[in-house]
Amino acid sequence: MDDLTQPLVHGNRRALSRAITLIESTRGDDRLRATALLAELPHRQALRIGLSGTPGVGKSTFIESFGQILTAQGLKVAVLAVDPSSARSGGSILGDKTRMEMLARDPNAFIRPSPSRAELGGVARRTRETIRLCEAAGFDTVLVETVGVGQSETLVADMTDLFVLLLAPAGGDELQGVKRGIMEIADLILVNKADGALRDTALRTVADYAGALRLLRKRPQDPPGYPRALPVSATTGEGLDKAWAQMTELAEWRREHGHLATRRAEQARQWFLSELRAGLLARLDRPEVRACLRQTGDEVARGALDPAAAAAQMLDWLAAARAADS
Amino acid sequence: MDDLTQPLVHGNRRALSRAITLIESTRGDDRLRATALLAELPHRQALRIGLSGTPGVGKSTFIESFGQILTAQGLKVAVLAVDPSSARSGGSILGDKTRMEMLARDPNAFIRPSPSRAELGGVARRTRETIRLCEAAGFDTVLVETVGVGQSETLVADMTDLFVLLLAPAGGDELQGVKRGIMEIADLILVNKADGALRDTALRTVADYAGALRLLRKRPQDPPGYPRALPVSATTGEGLDKAWAQMTELAEWRREHGHLATRRAEQARQWFLSELRAGLLARLDRPEVRACLRQTGDEVARGALDPAAAAAQMLDWLAAARAADS
């Protein structure tokens, strides 16, 4: 049994941090150890909530307030980030724990910044495995946040039980800014900043989104009335209790009707398949293979070899190297 | 030497059609034969032009008129389609040769519809290889058309020398409908329907796009004045000669300055790498592997196996099966 297993299962935060660092490592021996560790951890199930919101919508303040509502009820909350853009912008959106100062100090909360090397496939693996670690460490709720860019929302929805979209109050014309595909995966739309001068605008925005949601095709995994939109204020805390009540109501309904189990089973199967594909392609990353790849690529680039023929030749070479290995 | 090689190199259209059918086949022995055929074909270079335009912009009429301008000059023109959506809509956009009746009857033109099973990766391979076949068969110009959906434009730009965007006349507000990424890969923007009642609107649209193009970052592969926008009318033929003159001017400049050679070398290298990745992943498509995949996937789905551990186990199994093979 791995040294980390026992303390991690007992909720030791340092062990959890070290386990996450382990699964983020790309070293071969670390990967082997991470796989073995994951395989021996007990299966506990947190409620996994995906949360997306573009910058400026007040996501940090929302997580800070929302997280404290949960911890005040005695729940243990982990916050993870999927941020494929952080590599480019040079800094992690979640790296700065001062973003959520109160929650970061809360003994029942665990905030893990997005890793700095952030390629979408790698982030996906790391986050799925980190969710598993947090669950094994006894967290009841895992919040996976992402910025609304590219395919990160779909990725997050594919590893969580519920998907929440946090939006800013806006004029009706801007509704179109939310892509139809994102609307279709949302379980709950929260319109933030429903306070002060923006309150009326927020309420109108909620009505607009509620209307748009009604136009979507009914999904079998939804109880009557879902997906739905509601106003919240991360600053005053208004609406946050209700949002949490609706999340638990929805999750409970799905659990009772078998939809949660089906969704997780399908997610696990997809995870397995993408791990397998990544594992096959990882062969191309070995130093001796990369040297050969570069050389063959050069021959192709200068026209001495046909791309398809070069690929076939390289596949034979890989198979021979493999056979010689074993 | 393959039976198809000689007639194909002499421009025999039936041999070309049969060779394309061969490369479209997914049967293992056909694939081997296709790879060998491609490797023994001489390297001739046509001007490869990518053309994108959303439905309704008059793309068929444009290709019909434009193609005939080229064949009237004694040039041999091949028209291929990249249409990943045709599988879903149930019919190929280019399947109907009546779309370009005159060009289809022209002995110097060759029109090949999009294959009916159309998955983006498969279409890419098929189109790249078909371009090679058309070049070997002596075509001077290969026009690769695509509808403006998803990633197909980037795909087409990555296999051609020039990328042309065909647009409809529109009000200034609609400029935003063209994504910035597409503007950035366009070498020439043609605003169609610059005739009759729409003429003035078309000219204004050209001015708008010309302004937008000037705001983009200067690319080293562009001579002064490029990328540029100009009005055309596929119906009256107006502007088509000029469009062709600009395409050849641009291509000539790039050839002289070495940019065409660099671009093709890089494209060939990328093609090789994507063939190689596809070849590695193709192992998962064998019947005996698929049975094992399904079974392991089921165990993962019901929680008996961890996804990462299952993937590691499956990779070992594949390596052992491979070693036993050789």
Side-chain angles (χ1 to χ4, degrees):
Chain A
M1 188 178 279
D2 198 286
D3 286 349
L4 290 172
T5 302
Q6 277 306 331
L8 195 148
V9 167
H10 288 98
N12 181 299
R13 301 164 69 94
R14 254 198 71 192
L16 175 58
S17 287
R18 283 180 53 209
I20 297 177
T21 304
L22 179 70
I23 61 133
E24 284 174 357
S25 165
T26 49
R27 278 177 43 188
D29 50 344
D30 284 345
R31 194 92 278 279
L32 283 176
R33 187 178 163 201
T35 304
L37 173 66
L38 286 166
E40 72 188 14
L41 288 176
H43 280 271
R44 291 176 181 159
Q45 294 206 339
L47 178 59
R48 305 170 183 173
I49 303 172
L51 175 72
S52 172
T54 40
V57 70
K59 197 148 40 95
S60 312
T61 317
F62 174 83
I63 297 174
E64 168 97 326
S65 306
F66 183 71
Q68 287 180 89
I69 286 184
L70 271 53
T71 56
Q73 296 181 16
L75 292 168
K76 291 183 71 184
V77 181
V79 180
L80 313 174
V82 166
D83 176 21
S85 65
S86 69
R88 253 171 293 154
S89 64
S92 159
I93 40 163
L94 239 172
D96 194 356
K97 283 195 189 174
T98 56
R99 273 207 322 160
M100 338 182 164
E101 222 176 320
M102 303 278 285
L103 194 62
R105 282 201 301 261
D106 194 319
N108 279 327
F110 178 85
I111 301 179
R112 180 77 180 195
S114 189
S116 51
R117 265 178 313 102
E119 176 263 319
L120 204 57
V123 171
R125 162 192 271 180
R126 171 256 179 205
T127 310
R128 280 186 295 219
E129 294 185 348
T130 304
I131 292 174
R132 275 275 282 124
L133 295 178
C134 292
E135 290 183 327
F139 284 88
D140 309 287
T141 312
V142 180
L143 212 57
V144 185
E145 73 150 317
T146 186
V147 279
V149 289
Q151 306 178 287
S152 64
E153 285 107 336
T154 323
L155 201 77
V156 168
D158 283 346
M159 56 177 76
T160 51
D161 302 322
L162 297 180
F163 191 75
V164 178
L165 198 55
L166 192 68
L167 297 171
D173 288 354
E174 295 177 46
L175 275 193
Q176 297 175 5
V178 179
K179 294 199 201 92
R180 191 188 167 84
I182 303 301
M183 291 283 279
E184 278 169 353
I185 57 173
D187 294 306
L188 209 56
I189 288 182
L190 303 180
V191 179
N192 196 17
K193 304 186 184 177
D195 51 54
L198 281 173
R199 193 182 155 77
D200 286 350
T201 316
L203 294 179
R204 271 199 307 277
T205 308
V206 167
D208 287 343
Y209 281 111
L213 286 173
R214 273 193 296 273
L215 294 177
L216 296 178
R217 199 158 48 93
K218 180 96 183 96
R219 303 174 301 184
Q221 70 271 29
D222 291 333
Y226 286 89
R228 69 174 57 166
L230 75 163
V232 296
S233 165
T235 323
T236 69
E238 216 182 310
L240 295 183
D241 278 315
K242 193 171 175 196
W244 173 238
Q246 299 204 333
M247 290 181 213
T248 47
E249 176 183 84
L250 180 56
E252 211 35 66
W253 190 89
R254 286 189 181 163
R255 193 186 314 274
E256 277 169 21
H257 291 75
H259 295 301
L260 265 195
T262 312
R263 179 167 175 153
R264 290 204 171 186
E266 193 41 44
Q267 287 176 346
R269 188 195 298 275
Q270 292 309 323
W271 177 5
F272 156 62
L273 291 173
S274 74
E275 281 286 305
L276 181 57
R277 281 189 291 262
L280 272 178
L281 295 178
R283 292 214 194 130
L284 303 179
D285 269 339
R286 294 188 201 157
E288 73 279 16
V289 176
R290 274 156 80 163
C292 183
L293 259 185
R294 205 164 26 239
Q295 197 189 325
T296 312
D298 287 345
E299 287 182 59
V300 172
R302 65 163 205 271
L305 255 178
D306 210 59
Q313 183 182 310
M314 188 84 196
L315 284 168
D316 285 345
W317 182 85
L318 281 169
R322 191 91 192 160
D325 266 10
S326 56
Chain B
M1 190 178 277
D2 198 286
D3 286 349
L4 290 173
T5 302
Q6 278 307 330
L8 195 149
V9 168
H10 288 98
N12 182 298
R13 301 166 69 91
R14 254 199 71 194
L16 176 58
S17 287
R18 284 181 51 211
I20 296 176
T21 304
L22 179 70
I23 61 134
E24 284 174 357
S25 165
T26 49
R27 279 177 41 189
D29 50 344
D30 283 345
R31 195 90 278 278
L32 283 176
R33 189 180 160 198
T35 303
L37 174 66
L38 285 166
E40 72 188 15
L41 288 176
H43 279 271
R44 291 175 182 161
Q45 294 208 339
L47 178 60
R48 306 171 182 171
I49 303 172
L51 176 71
S52 172
T54 40
V57 70
K59 195 147 42 99
S60 311
T61 317
F62 173 82
I63 297 175
E64 168 97 327
S65 306
F66 183 71
Q68 287 180 89
I69 285 182
L70 271 55
T71 56
Q73 297 181 15
L75 293 169
K76 292 182 71 184
V77 182
V79 181
L80 312 175
V82 167
D83 177 21
S85 66
S86 70
R88 255 170 292 154
S89 65
S92 161
I93 40 162
L94 239 171
D96 194 357
K97 284 196 189 175
T98 56
R99 273 208 320 159
M100 339 181 162
E101 223 176 321
M102 304 278 284
L103 194 63
R105 281 202 300 263
D106 194 319
N108 279 328
F110 178 85
I111 300 179
R112 181 77 180 195
S114 189
S116 52
R117 266 177 315 102
E119 175 265 318
L120 204 57
V123 171
R125 161 192 270 180
R126 170 258 177 204
T127 309
R128 279 185 294 221
E129 294 185 348
T130 304
I131 292 173
R132 276 274 284 126
L133 295 176
C134 293
E135 289 183 328
F139 284 87
D140 310 288
T141 312
V142 180
L143 212 57
V144 185
E145 73 151 317
T146 186
V147 280
V149 289
Q151 305 178 286
S152 63
E153 285 107 337
T154 322
L155 201 77
V156 168
D158 283 345
M159 55 176 76
T160 51
D161 302 321
L162 296 180
F163 191 75
V164 178
L165 197 55
L166 192 68
L167 297 172
D173 287 353
E174 293 178 48
L175 276 193
Q176 297 176 5
V178 179
K179 293 197 201 92
R180 190 186 167 88
I182 303 302
M183 291 283 280
E184 278 169 353
I185 58 173
D187 294 306
L188 211 56
I189 288 182
L190 303 180
V191 179
N192 195 17
K193 304 186 183 177
D195 52 52
L198 281 174
R199 194 182 154 77
D200 287 348
T201 316
L203 294 180
R204 269 199 309 276
T205 308
V206 167
D208 287 342
Y209 280 111
L213 286 174
R214 273 193 295 273
L215 294 178
L216 295 178
R217 201 159 48 92
K218 181 96 184 94
R219 304 175 302 184
Q221 70 271 29
D222 292 333
Y226 286 89
R228 70 174 56 165
L230 76 164
V232 296
S233 166
T235 322
T236 68
E238 215 181 310
L240 296 184
D241 277 317
K242 192 168 174 199
W244 173 237
Q246 300 204 333
M247 290 180 214
T248 48
E249 178 182 84
L250 181 56
E252 210 36 64
W253 190 89
R254 286 188 181 164
R255 193 186 313 276
E256 277 168 20
H257 291 74
H259 295 301
L260 266 196
T262 311
R263 180 166 173 151
R264 289 203 172 188
E266 193 42 43
Q267 286 175 347
R269 188 196 299 274
Q270 291 307 324
W271 176 5
F272 156 63
L273 291 174
S274 75
E275 282 286 306
L276 180 58
R277 280 190 290 262
L280 272 179
L281 295 178
R283 293 217 192 128
L284 303 180
D285 269 339
R286 295 187 200 159
E288 75 278 14
V289 176
R290 274 155 80 161
C292 183
L293 260 185
R294 206 166 24 240
Q295 199 188 325
T296 312
D298 287 346
E299 286 181 62
V300 171
R302 68 163 202 271
L305 256 178
D306 209 58
Q313 183 181 311
M314 188 85 196
L315 284 168
D316 285 344
W317 183 85
L318 281 169
R322 190 90 192 162
D325 266 10
S326 57

